Structures are given as C-alpha cells and as structure tokens.
Amino acid sequence: MTSATAAAGTAPGLAWDSRYEWRAVLLLTLGFGLVGLDRWVIADLAGLRSSTMVSDLALRPQDVGNLVASLGIAWGVSSLFMGNLSDVFGRRRVIVPSLVLFSILSGFSGLAGTFLAMLLCRITMGLFEGAFCPSSFAAVAEASLPRRRGNNLGFQQSAFALFGLGFGPTIAALLLGSMSWRWVFAIVGIPGLIVAALAARIIREPASILARRQSQATGRAVAKPPRLSLAALTSHRNLPLSMAGQLCAMCGIFVLSAFTPAYLSGYLHLSDAATAGVTSAIGFGGFLGQWGLPAASDRFGRRAVAITGFVVSSGFLLLFTRLDAASGVTTLFATLFLASGFSFGLLSLISGPIASEAAPLGMVGGVIGVVAAVAEIFGGGVAPSLGGYIAQHYGIQHVLWLALAGLVAGIVVSLFFIETAPRLARIGEGERSALDATVS
C-alpha cells in the first residue's frame, strides 16, 4: 500500500489492507501476551508452595510487592519517552529491540542470587516492556480500520491477562513439577525472541514516518517530528482524565494480581492446585474483559462502558472480600473472574480507544506512552509497593481494600469523560487523520 492510500477506508474506491491489519494485530497481540507472562510469572513463583524462590532469595511480603512495583515504575518511566520516540523514528525500530531485550532479561531473572540482583533485573526488564507497550498500541491503532479500532486494541491488550494471569499460574505450577523456578524464567522468555523476528519482517511504519525518511533521502525540507508538550496533553479533556482513570483501574487490578496467590494460599489456606486454579480467573476474566469492553464501547460508547466497568468491578471485588475457603473454589473463581474481567477491560478501554481518539495529530504513540506512564508509576508501581507494606504490617487480607479503593475512585473519574466513539460522537472516519493514516 502506498502513501496515496493513507486514508484507506475513508475515500471511495480505496481498498483497506485487511491482510496486513490482521497480521499486525495477531502478531502484536501475541507479543503483548508474552509481556504479561514475563511480567506476572514472578507473582506465581512467589506464591506457590512448591516454589523455593521466596526462601532462596529470603523475600518478605513487601519484597514481593516491591519486585512487582519496580517493574511497573520502570515501565512507566520508559513509556514517557519511548512512545514519542516511536512517533519520530518508527514503530518497528522500537518494537523489535524491546521484544528481544525484555525476553532475554526474563531469562536472566532466573540467575538472580539475591533480592537486589532480582530487583535490578526486573527494573531493566520494565524499561523495555514500557517501550513495547505504547509503540505496539499505536501500531495496532494505525493498522486498524477505524470502526474496528476498539475491537482490535481490546483484542491485543486482552492477551496480557490471558497469558500472564490466565495461563501463567498453570504454566508455573506445571513447570515447577519438573524443574526449579530459575528454569521457569528462562523458558518463558524464549517465545519473545521468535515474535521479535516475525515483527522485523511484518510490521510497517506509518505513512508520516516514511514520508519524512523519503524527504531526508532526497534532500528535501523535512517537517519537524511532533513533540509532546503540556498543551498537547491537555488539548482534550479525555487525556488528563485517561491518566487518572487508568491509574484507578491499575491500582485495582495490579494490586489484586500481585497478591491474590499469596492471599489464597497464605490466608485462605488453599492448596497449590486450588490457588493456581482460582488465580487463573484473573487472567481468563481479564482476557474477555480487555477484549469485550473496548469492543462494546464501539457500539455503546466509551463513557458509558467505562462507568459500567468501574461500578461492576467494584461490586464483585467487594463480594470477593467477603468469601472464604468454605465458599468453594467455584464461587471464588466466578467472583474473581467477573471482578477482574471488568477491571482489566478498563485498562484496554482507557489506554486504547479513549486515549488514542483524543490524541493530537501525529502524537498517538507519545500520548499513549504518557497515559501508560502515569498509570504504571502510580497504579502499577506505588500501589503494589504500598500493598506489600499493608500485607507485611497489617495482614494480606487488608490488601484487597486498597484495590477496591482504586476502583471506586475510578467511578467518579469516568463520569467526566467526553464521548469519542465514532458511532455515537458522529466522527467521520476521514476526520481522524492522525489515526487513519495507515502504513505503506
């Protein structure tokens, strides 16, 4: 496809490159799923009784929270810069190296002999995962036909929960049956290298970046690449609200994800098998929620779905806090499934269609990066660390109230979103040139 088809799907007679759309979406979905697996397997290895990681590294509850938090903070700091860097230099130049490096660092986590070594490894890993996140989201948004944008972004982000928290606990439990926790880290890092090789061949660059490179090659005047500014980040009311809403959603789901294995095994005294089974509800619920909520918002509106998501997730998490081992594994699973599904759905809804549709021209990657950064640093970083402090000093059962507080605060934030779904806001597909400019 040439730059003449930059508005493909918006002008009569121009065919959309659906083949590239689905190849890019599927590949980057797999990549983001591996981000989730590499990120969350450490919580499973810390919570399952058959793992010796906690004793080998002499970890306290707060140490586990800090390991989760450190990666989140590093992810956030990286997203601040790397999303905009992909707007300037290209998606592929950020996506491929970040895939390679965070996969290698996942394997290196198994070599850690002390808490400090593990902490440094996870921080560095977070820097490269933070680079992949906004760059891949922007690439999916650009490859998607506008009316499928919410669906595609939701599908991509749903893999984070499915791989990291759905399959992750079972993968960890199965591998621990035949090897040490150190080898588990090494094995889960291998698929990312394969995806990186495929991304190098398949992912295309936005037409704006290719036009800039062509101008440089021919010696013509080159337009300056877009630069983020405070004015750009406040140019649409949904942008600061997206930062606040994403922080609330991440506070809820990331605290829950980090401490659920320890809560189930240490407080409710479930077996490893039962703990892994119930914990997987976070991933399977999150998979459906991260795909379903953005897709539903294409039809029912971003604002209405965001409000509904926060209300429903808060209600089911409150119910989960009232359950005990006598309630049964099925009830625990179902309640956690629903709480997590709506919570994770909010993550992809806010950082995907809500943020991208409010982004100024040519700044989609940078804007998504800033939204992700604020949420990661505070919701994915500070909140799990605070959760670790609460668990160590007041008991693991009280951590759930921190997660609930984040979701309840999100209800208030979501009331102020402006509707931007093309179907309801009557935004013509040709009017969103920043997003609809596809790749060559």
Side-chain angles (χ1 to χ4, degrees):
M1 182 181 295
T2 67
S3 59
T5 60
T10 66
L14 293 179
W16 187 265
D17 192 347
S18 297
R19 182 173 181 270
Y20 172 70
E21 176 182 354
W22 295 118
R23 291 176 73 196
V25 170
L26 288 173
L27 183 62
L28 295 175
T29 295
L30 180 57
F32 201 55
L34 295 174
V35 168
L37 179 60
D38 290 348
R39 179 169 184 168
W40 286 113
V41 73
I42 193 170
D44 301 314
L45 296 176
L48 294 175
R49 296 178 183 177
S50 56
S51 172
T52 61
M53 188 182 78
V54 170
S55 58
D56 289 347
L57 301 182
L59 301 179
R60 302 167 299 171
Q62 187 167 2
D63 292 332
V64 176
N66 286 338
L67 288 173
V68 174
S70 63
L71 191 150
I73 293 173
W75 178 316
V77 172
S78 176
S79 294
L80 274 174
F81 305 101
M82 298 305 287
N84 187 237
L85 201 63
S86 76
D87 288 334
V88 176
F89 296 106
R91 310 301 181 208
R92 190 167 56 235
R93 290 183 178 181
V94 175
I95 288 171
V96 174
S98 62
L99 273 168
V100 170
L101 291 168
F102 81 67
S103 299
I104 291 174
L105 285 161
S106 176
F108 280 178
S109 298
L111 300 177
T114 64
F115 166 72
L116 180 59
M118 179 67 80
L119 182 68
L120 291 174
C121 192
R122 304 304 283 185
I123 288 173
T124 311
M125 182 175 164
L127 293 175
F128 295 110
E129 291 190 344
F132 178 82
C133 170
S135 305
S136 67
F137 291 179
V140 168
E142 290 156 351
S144 301
L145 191 66
R147 65 172 178 266
R148 290 195 290 262
R149 188 178 300 128
N151 178 78
N152 289 353
L153 284 165
F155 178 64
Q156 182 202 10
Q157 295 182 58
S158 69
F160 181 89
L162 181 64
F163 283 63
L165 295 158
F167 298 148
T170 301
I171 290 172
L174 289 174
L175 292 177
L176 283 171
S178 57
M179 64 186 67
S180 76
W181 61 270
R182 297 183 182 278
W183 279 104
V184 174
F185 279 118
I187 289 175
V188 299
I190 294 173
L193 301 176
I194 300 172
V195 174
L198 293 173
R201 293 176 58 87
I202 293 174
I203 299 303
R204 303 174 184 172
E205 301 292 10
S208 59
I209 292 175
L210 292 172
R212 193 183 309 132
R213 290 179 186 172
Q214 185 176 14
S215 296
Q216 290 173 332
T218 57
R220 292 181 303 193
V222 180
K224 291 184 178 181
R227 299 183 65 180
L228 280 179
S229 63
L230 182 60
L233 293 171
T234 56
S235 61
H236 194 291
R237 189 167 83 186
N238 281 4
L239 294 179
L241 287 174
S242 291
M243 298 178 204
Q246 189 79 337
L247 189 158
C248 294
M250 290 189 74
C251 177
I253 195 60
F254 277 43
V255 168
L256 190 63
S257 300
F259 295 100
T260 291
Y263 172 77
L264 294 172
S265 63
Y267 184 71
L268 297 188
H269 305 294
L270 299 184
S271 66
D272 269 6
T275 296
V278 174
T279 301
S280 69
I282 301 177
F284 293 123
F287 166 68
L288 291 179
Q290 283 195 287
W291 190 0
L293 260 67
S297 75
D298 283 341
R299 181 174 181 82
F300 300 108
R302 316 300 189 204
R303 179 177 179 273
V305 173
I307 295 170
T308 302
F310 276 115
V311 171
V312 175
S313 59
S314 297
F316 279 105
L317 182 54
L318 178 61
L319 176 59
F320 185 73
T321 65
R322 315 311 300 164
L323 301 177
D324 55 23
S327 302
V329 170
T330 301
T331 301
L332 287 165
F333 180 95
T335 306
L336 189 58
F337 180 95
L338 291 167
S340 303
F342 283 92
S343 298
F344 260 115
L346 291 163
L347 297 183
S348 55
L349 172 63
I350 295 171
S351 67
I354 290 180
S356 62
E357 287 170 348
L361 181 67
M363 298 184 183
V364 180
V367 164
I368 292 176
V370 173
V371 171
V374 172
E376 280 286 353
I377 291 171
F378 295 100
V382 175
S385 182
L386 179 59
Y389 178 86
I390 293 172
Q392 185 166 323
H393 294 279
Y394 300 101
I396 190 75
Q397 69 275 19
H398 296 295
V399 175
L400 299 182
W401 294 105
L402 176 61
L404 181 60
L407 295 175
V408 171
I411 298 174
V412 179
V413 172
S414 61
L415 293 172
F416 296 94
F417 278 126
I418 296 174
E419 186 56 64
T420 59
R423 177 185 174 91
L424 298 181
R426 300 184 184 279
I427 299 175
E429 292 181 348
E431 297 174 28
R432 294 298 300 172
S433 57
L435 286 175
D436 301 349
T438 187
V439 291
S440 286

Short mmCIF file of all heavy atoms in Angstrom, two decimals, residues 244-245 247-252 310 314 400-411:
data_model
loop_
_atom_site.label_atom_id
_atom_site.label_comp_id
_atom_site.label_asym_id
_atom_site.label_seq_id
_atom_site.Cartn_x
_atom_site.Cartn_y
_atom_site.Cartn_z
N ALA A 244 -5.87 9.69 34.96
CA ALA A 244 -6.47 9.43 36.26
C ALA A 244 -7.25 8.12 36.27
O ALA A 244 -7.16 7.32 37.21
CB ALA A 244 -7.38 10.59 36.66
N GLY A 245 -8.03 7.90 35.21
CA GLY A 245 -8.84 6.68 35.16
C GLY A 245 -7.99 5.43 35.05
O GLY A 245 -8.28 4.41 35.69
N LEU A 247 -4.95 5.10 36.16
CA LEU A 247 -4.32 4.91 37.46
C LEU A 247 -5.26 4.16 38.41
O LEU A 247 -4.85 3.23 39.10
CB LEU A 247 -3.95 6.28 38.05
CG LEU A 247 -3.10 6.33 39.30
CD1 LEU A 247 -2.41 7.70 39.40
CD2 LEU A 247 -3.90 6.09 40.58
N CYS A 248 -6.53 4.57 38.42
CA CYS A 248 -7.51 3.92 39.29
C CYS A 248 -7.70 2.45 38.93
O CYS A 248 -7.73 1.57 39.80
CB CYS A 248 -8.85 4.64 39.20
SG CYS A 248 -8.84 6.32 39.86
N ALA A 249 -7.82 2.18 37.62
CA ALA A 249 -8.02 0.80 37.18
C ALA A 249 -6.80 -0.06 37.50
O ALA A 249 -6.92 -1.20 37.95
CB ALA A 249 -8.31 0.77 35.67
N MET A 250 -5.61 0.49 37.29
CA MET A 250 -4.39 -0.29 37.54
C MET A 250 -4.16 -0.51 39.02
O MET A 250 -3.65 -1.56 39.42
CB MET A 250 -3.19 0.41 36.89
CG MET A 250 -3.21 0.35 35.38
SD MET A 250 -1.70 0.94 34.61
CE MET A 250 -0.62 -0.44 34.96
N CYS A 251 -4.51 0.46 39.83
CA CYS A 251 -4.41 0.26 41.28
C CYS A 251 -5.25 -0.94 41.69
O CYS A 251 -4.80 -1.78 42.48
CB CYS A 251 -4.88 1.52 42.01
SG CYS A 251 -4.88 1.36 43.81
N GLY A 252 -6.44 -1.03 41.13
CA GLY A 252 -7.31 -2.16 41.48
C GLY A 252 -6.78 -3.49 40.98
O GLY A 252 -6.55 -4.42 41.76
N PHE A 310 -16.28 0.27 35.93
CA PHE A 310 -15.84 0.59 37.29
C PHE A 310 -16.87 0.17 38.34
O PHE A 310 -16.52 -0.35 39.40
CB PHE A 310 -15.55 2.08 37.42
CG PHE A 310 -14.17 2.49 36.95
CD1 PHE A 310 -14.01 3.32 35.86
CD2 PHE A 310 -13.04 2.04 37.62
CE1 PHE A 310 -12.74 3.70 35.43
CE2 PHE A 310 -11.77 2.42 37.21
CZ PHE A 310 -11.62 3.24 36.11
N SER A 314 -16.08 -2.98 40.96
CA SER A 314 -16.07 -2.65 42.39
C SER A 314 -17.02 -3.56 43.17
O SER A 314 -16.68 -4.06 44.25
CB SER A 314 -16.48 -1.19 42.61
OG SER A 314 -15.58 -0.30 42.00
N LEU A 400 -6.73 -6.19 49.79
CA LEU A 400 -7.86 -6.12 48.86
C LEU A 400 -8.61 -4.79 48.97
O LEU A 400 -9.20 -4.33 47.98
CB LEU A 400 -8.82 -7.28 49.11
CG LEU A 400 -8.24 -8.70 48.91
CD1 LEU A 400 -9.31 -9.74 49.15
CD2 LEU A 400 -7.64 -8.86 47.52
N TRP A 401 -8.58 -4.17 50.14
CA TRP A 401 -9.29 -2.90 50.30
C TRP A 401 -8.59 -1.78 49.53
O TRP A 401 -9.24 -0.84 49.08
CB TRP A 401 -9.40 -2.54 51.78
CG TRP A 401 -10.26 -3.52 52.52
CD1 TRP A 401 -9.85 -4.49 53.38
CD2 TRP A 401 -11.69 -3.63 52.45
NE1 TRP A 401 -10.94 -5.21 53.84
CE2 TRP A 401 -12.08 -4.71 53.30
CE3 TRP A 401 -12.68 -2.94 51.75
CZ2 TRP A 401 -13.41 -5.09 53.45
CZ3 TRP A 401 -14.01 -3.32 51.92
CH2 TRP A 401 -14.35 -4.38 52.76
N LEU A 402 -7.28 -1.88 49.37
CA LEU A 402 -6.57 -0.90 48.55
C LEU A 402 -6.99 -1.02 47.09
O LEU A 402 -7.22 -0.01 46.41
CB LEU A 402 -5.05 -1.12 48.68
CG LEU A 402 -4.15 -0.24 47.80
CD1 LEU A 402 -4.34 1.23 48.14
CD2 LEU A 402 -2.67 -0.65 47.99
N ALA A 403 -7.10 -2.25 46.61
CA ALA A 403 -7.56 -2.47 45.24
C ALA A 403 -8.97 -1.92 45.04
O ALA A 403 -9.28 -1.27 44.03
CB ALA A 403 -7.52 -3.96 44.91
N LEU A 404 -9.84 -2.15 46.02
CA LEU A 404 -11.22 -1.69 45.93
C LEU A 404 -11.30 -0.17 45.91
O LEU A 404 -12.09 0.42 45.17
CB LEU A 404 -12.04 -2.26 47.09
CG LEU A 404 -13.53 -1.90 47.12
CD1 LEU A 404 -14.23 -2.40 45.86
CD2 LEU A 404 -14.19 -2.48 48.37
N ALA A 405 -10.46 0.48 46.72
CA ALA A 405 -10.47 1.95 46.77
C ALA A 405 -10.12 2.54 45.41
O ALA A 405 -10.73 3.54 44.98
CB ALA A 405 -9.47 2.43 47.82
N GLY A 406 -9.18 1.93 44.71
CA GLY A 406 -8.82 2.42 43.38
C GLY A 406 -9.99 2.34 42.41
O GLY A 406 -10.25 3.28 41.64
N LEU A 407 -10.71 1.23 42.43
CA LEU A 407 -11.83 1.05 41.50
C LEU A 407 -12.98 1.99 41.82
O LEU A 407 -13.63 2.53 40.90
CB LEU A 407 -12.30 -0.41 41.55
CG LEU A 407 -11.30 -1.45 41.05
CD1 LEU A 407 -11.85 -2.86 41.26
CD2 LEU A 407 -10.97 -1.22 39.58
N VAL A 408 -13.25 2.22 43.09
CA VAL A 408 -14.33 3.13 43.47
C VAL A 408 -14.00 4.56 43.02
O VAL A 408 -14.86 5.30 42.52
CB VAL A 408 -14.58 3.08 44.99
CG1 VAL A 408 -15.54 4.18 45.43
CG2 VAL A 408 -15.15 1.71 45.37
N ALA A 409 -12.74 4.97 43.18
CA ALA A 409 -12.33 6.30 42.72
C ALA A 409 -12.51 6.43 41.21
O ALA A 409 -12.85 7.51 40.70
CB ALA A 409 -10.87 6.55 43.10
N GLY A 410 -12.33 5.33 40.49
CA GLY A 410 -12.49 5.36 39.04
C GLY A 410 -13.92 5.66 38.60
O GLY A 410 -14.12 6.19 37.50
N ILE A 411 -14.89 5.28 39.41
CA ILE A 411 -16.28 5.58 39.07
C ILE A 411 -16.46 7.08 38.90
O ILE A 411 -17.08 7.56 37.94
CB ILE A 411 -17.24 5.05 40.15
CG1 ILE A 411 -17.13 3.53 40.26
CG2 ILE A 411 -18.68 5.47 39.84
CD1 ILE A 411 -17.94 2.94 41.41
#
